[in-house]
Amino acid sequence: MVLNNVMIPGNDAVVSISISEGKIKQVSPSHTDDREQLTFVNAIAFPGLINSHDHLDFNLFPQLGNKTYESYTEWGKHIHRAYAVEIASVLKIPIALRERWGVYKNLLCGVTTVVNHGEKTTINDPLITIFDNCQSIHSVRFEKNWKKRLNNPLKINKPAVIHIGEGTNDIAHTEIDELIKWNILKRKLIGIHGVAMDPQQAKHFEALVWCPESNYFLLNKTAAIDELKSKTTILFGTDSTLTGHWDIWHHIRLARKTQMLNDDELYNSLTSSPAQTWKLNSGSITSGFDADIVIAKAKGKVGLQAFYNITPNDILLVMHKGVILLFDESLYHQLTGIITQNYSKVFTGNHFKYVMGDIPGLIAEIKRYKPDACFPIPHPALPAA
């Protein structure tokens, strides 16, 4: 397949992307062979986004919390008291259904890889990549056996991924030192949040996953990424809808407003940097890389400005390892005879999208357990979140 007439951020020249056997074969100024082709107008192409922190099974929750907290421990204790009924109503939905919705939440936004924090998912056919070649440790305060798990010699070759420094008080800062001290086997550490982290501490981490919207919602503060970025690699994450908007582009624009990463750095935190950290063959539209590609309307802009203007409504196509998982209704006639799988038709604001799988069926199953569950895809039969 060839994707014709697209621009890649950072290179405003129009190119064609040739795809074969799930990988990018060639990126060239033009392509004229007789293989299956899709032609776009005023569109940009970029690597499928890599969401380096989510809890897939927690994306049917609304945001829970009604004040500014000093730490994740204070927030956790408060929501289990104040929102016990709401939490129970979501947790009674089977985890497999919650995880599958978590995948769609990401896919609808152009995410093709998610690093899920927690136990291995139950999904056999996840559509996108659910990265789990790491060891998830919840946190220093909420996991009793974290020291033992961190120093498990059988896990030494995998990075340890842990919530750390998620707070504004002294305890949040000193727990980072505690983690560093007890990393006896010198495991590769990938921290999540790091709001209380200082540059000296950051040097001990292979990477830090920045989740600014979650941080502002809980703590009204985020990590000093502008100070930490010279000491460790910065990756981008959303966390779940417990603490953030369902749409990753909402998070991205909030991060951009902080100006703690420049436009190139923020773009890289969603593409090439996590691909290198997690050792993925993706994150770049380059020959030989996996064909994880998103194409979206350029809205009259070029380069990274067009990238930062994107909403789910603007996405024209999402491809994962050469397989089209989502396409806009405007491409329907070009794809006639090419697409053979089953797709659901959903509405994302002003356009219908065709998404692989049975989303209405999934929603109907979820509503058997929680009739008032809301979803961010307007439809006559579905309440919007």
Side-chain angles (χ1 to χ4, degrees):
M1 176 173 282
V2 180
L3 308 176
N4 282 319
N5 200 41
V6 296
M7 293 177 290
I8 299 174
N11 177 10
D12 294 336
V14 174
V15 298
S16 292
I17 305 168
S18 179
I19 296 153
S20 179
E21 297 181 345
K23 290 189 167 38
I24 297 168
K25 182 180 179 182
Q26 185 180 17
V27 181
S28 59
S30 63
H31 207 94
T32 58
D33 70 14
D34 59 357
R35 286 186 297 165
E36 298 165 340
Q37 300 192 32
L38 289 176
T39 299
F40 299 87
V41 177
N42 193 31
I44 62 169
F46 52 92
L49 302 182
I50 302 171
N51 183 353
S52 288
H53 183 63
D54 200 345
H55 299 266
L56 289 176
D57 57 325
F58 286 172
N59 284 295
L60 287 168
F61 284 104
Q63 287 179 285
L64 297 182
N66 59 9
K67 62 178 183 176
T68 297
Y69 304 88
E70 286 195 340
S71 69
Y72 68 100
T73 55
E74 181 190 0
W75 170 78
K77 292 173 182 176
H78 176 248
I79 65 167
H80 280 93
R81 290 194 310 268
Y83 301 98
V85 173
E86 179 63 41
I87 291 171
S89 74
V90 174
L91 294 182
K92 73 179 182 182
I93 303 168
I95 190 170
L97 299 181
R98 290 187 276 127
E99 288 173 343
R100 284 170 59 198
W101 172 251
V103 167
Y104 278 117
K105 178 205 85 165
N106 281 279
L107 172 57
L108 288 166
C109 296
V111 173
T112 56
T113 299
V114 174
V115 182
N116 182 54
H117 198 78
E119 299 297 324
K120 185 177 177 64
T121 65
T122 63
I123 307 173
N124 294 322
D125 53 345
L127 297 180
I128 64 177
T129 297
I130 300 176
F131 181 83
D132 60 5
N133 191 26
C134 58
Q135 182 186 23
S136 290
I137 301 174
H138 187 275
S139 60
V140 167
R141 301 297 167 211
F142 281 159
E143 188 154 337
K144 291 182 179 179
N145 296 320
W146 69 268
K147 294 176 186 175
K148 182 178 180 180
R149 295 192 65 207
L150 177 64
N151 291 292
N152 181 351
L154 298 178
K155 302 286 187 179
I156 196 168
N157 292 322
K158 292 186 175 184
V161 184
I162 183 170
H163 297 93
I164 194 70
E166 190 180 1
T168 57
N169 56 12
D170 290 340
I171 295 174
H173 179 73
T174 57
E175 78 169 21
I176 305 173
D177 291 329
E178 189 177 1
L179 176 66
I180 295 167
K181 173 186 173 182
W182 282 98
N183 185 20
I184 297 168
L185 298 182
K186 303 301 179 185
R187 298 273 305 278
K188 286 185 177 180
L189 297 175
I190 297 179
I192 303 163
H193 300 302
V195 177
M197 185 177 289
D198 65 34
Q200 184 62 33
Q201 293 168 326
K203 293 192 297 184
H204 296 272
F205 289 79
E206 182 84 0
L208 176 67
V209 184
W210 186 30
C211 304
E213 180 159 302
S214 176
N215 302 155
Y216 283 120
F217 177 72
L218 261 66
L219 311 166
N220 198 30
K221 185 179 181 182
T222 193
I225 296 300
D226 51 344
E227 298 176 9
L228 305 180
K229 65 185 182 182
S230 65
K231 306 299 181 182
T232 190
T233 300
I234 305 301
L235 314 180
F236 198 87
T238 60
D239 222 319
S240 73
T241 56
L242 262 172
T243 56
H245 199 279
W246 76 275
D247 175 6
I248 193 172
W249 297 97
H250 192 274
H251 299 243
I252 292 168
R253 280 186 284 276
L254 174 63
R256 192 182 187 215
K257 284 181 181 178
T258 71
Q259 298 186 330
M260 288 194 279
L261 295 180
N262 64 38
D263 280 356
D264 288 310
E265 291 168 337
L266 182 54
Y267 180 78
N268 291 339
S269 76
L270 289 148
T271 55
S272 59
S273 293
Q276 292 166 11
T277 298
W278 306 117
K279 303 189 185 307
L280 304 169
N281 188 42
S282 61
S284 177
I285 298 184
T286 303
S287 176
F289 280 59
D290 289 341
D292 289 5
I293 299 170
V294 179
I295 298 178
K297 295 176 188 174
K299 288 185 174 178
K301 304 290 184 178
V302 295
L304 285 175
Q305 182 61 50
F307 175 81
Y308 289 113
N309 285 342
I310 290 170
T311 70
N313 189 57
D314 301 315
I315 293 175
L316 299 172
L317 181 138
V318 179
M319 176 178 284
H320 177 250
K321 297 187 177 179
V323 177
I324 295 174
L325 300 183
L326 178 153
F327 62 92
D328 186 79
E329 61 181 338
S330 62
L331 299 178
Y332 185 87
H333 293 295
Q334 289 195 65
L335 285 166
T336 301
I338 297 175
I339 293 296
T340 58
Q341 297 93 338
N342 292 322
Y343 290 77
S344 301
K345 191 175 182 180
V346 301
F347 198 56
T348 56
N350 297 319
H351 291 270
F352 282 103
K353 311 294 180 183
Y354 290 84
V355 187
M356 186 177 288
D358 184 7
I359 295 182
L362 172 62
I363 291 174
E365 282 191 75
I366 290 170
K367 283 180 169 290
R368 286 176 50 209
Y369 297 92
K370 185 172 171 57
D372 62 346
C374 294
F375 299 88
I377 41 176
H379 184 283
L382 304 175

